[in-house]
Structure formats: structure tokens, C-alpha cells
Amino acid sequence: MVAGNRSGAMGSSETLSGNIEFYTLFTSMDITRTGDFADISQKDFESVVQVIGLRAQPVVMNEPVALSGVGANVLENYGAPSMTGAGWIFKFAFEREGVHTIDTLKDELDGIVLNSGTIDTKSSVNMEFTKQDLL
């Protein structure tokens, strides 16, 4: 918001650039965002975001969406490459093109120990990613 036309007045704004890269994380680990910083799933969610943000902070992200694993509410119906059944979906985006790839996300998150278990992106997969086209 710009503060009038007074001499020396400062203003601020938020602008997103082009080439925004969108990713989707699929996991069977509970990363529910509760807002309670003592909650285990909240801590696990924050840890995942922290690791993802080591290269660049996501500029857009949603709250993880839980899928019950019943009927149409299964990971495979939402585009999970190999995971099936119940789980969570978390979408995020970077405005710096090429800051992450699916391989860098898999490499950096593999082996991270959370309260609910260890992330495995390579053998018995409990977390995987897809990338959408540039916006």
C-alpha cells in the first residue's frame, strides 16, 4: 500500500514474477497443519516446509489436504505417481525457475526423521512429488 504523495513517504507491495513452478507432495505421513506448535503433525509439517525451503522459500502453498482412502478420496485419484490409498497432499510453488526438481526434492527429503517416522522417497516410498507446468 502506498502512503499518499507526501515527500519521503514509503510504501510496500508484494509482487509475484513469472515462471512460477508448482509442485505437489503426496505422503502417507501425517503432515496436518493444526496451528498448535506443540502438535506432532504440525511439527512434521513445519519440518517438511523447512527442508523444502533450504534452496528457496515457497511463495505459494496450501494447507495439506487429508485423503481418507475411501471411495474417490485416494492418492492415486489426485495424481500420485505410485502411492495409493489414504494420505496427504501438499501443493507449493517457487517463483525462481529451476530452484528445485523432483530429483532434488527426493534427495533432500529422503532420510529426514520426523516425529511420525522417517521420510523415504526412494525404496518403500512414503513421500513423492509431481511438478506442474509453469504458470
Side-chain angles (χ1 to χ4, degrees):
M1 173 181 283
V2 177
N5 57 6
R6 289 175 280 153
S7 175
M10 298 297 292
S12 65
S13 66
E14 187 172 335
T15 306
L16 290 176
S17 64
N19 296 335
I20 297 175
E21 294 184 330
F22 287 89
Y23 291 86
T24 303
L25 176 154
F26 303 90
T27 186
S28 59
M29 303 177 83
D30 187 351
I31 57 168
T32 303
R33 185 190 165 286
T34 65
D36 176 3
F37 300 108
D39 187 79
I40 288 174
S41 67
Q42 175 72 33
K43 289 178 182 180
D44 287 351
F45 170 69
E46 290 171 6
S47 294
V48 168
V49 172
Q50 190 172 31
V51 173
I52 290 169
L54 288 174
R55 288 179 181 258
Q57 279 298 111
V59 293
V60 177
M61 56 185 184
N62 73 328
E63 291 189 18
V65 176
L67 298 176
S68 65
V70 178
N73 261 347
V74 292
L75 289 168
E76 60 268 29
N77 286 351
Y78 288 86
S82 66
M83 295 179 68
T84 61
W88 284 261
I89 299 173
F90 172 56
K91 295 184 178 192
F92 54 96
F94 301 101
E95 66 177 335
R96 290 188 53 213
E97 185 177 354
V99 73
H100 266 298
T101 65
I102 290 175
D103 288 336
T104 62
L105 288 167
K106 288 165 68 174
D107 289 344
E108 291 172 1
L109 283 155
D110 189 57
I112 299 294
V113 178
L114 303 177
N115 292 297
S116 59
T118 302
I119 297 173
D120 186 345
T121 62
K122 300 193 178 184
S123 56
S124 58
V125 175
N126 60 12
M127 187 175 288
E128 59 189 1
F129 302 88
T130 58
K131 179 182 174 190
Q132 287 69 43
D133 291 332
L134 294 175
L135 179 64

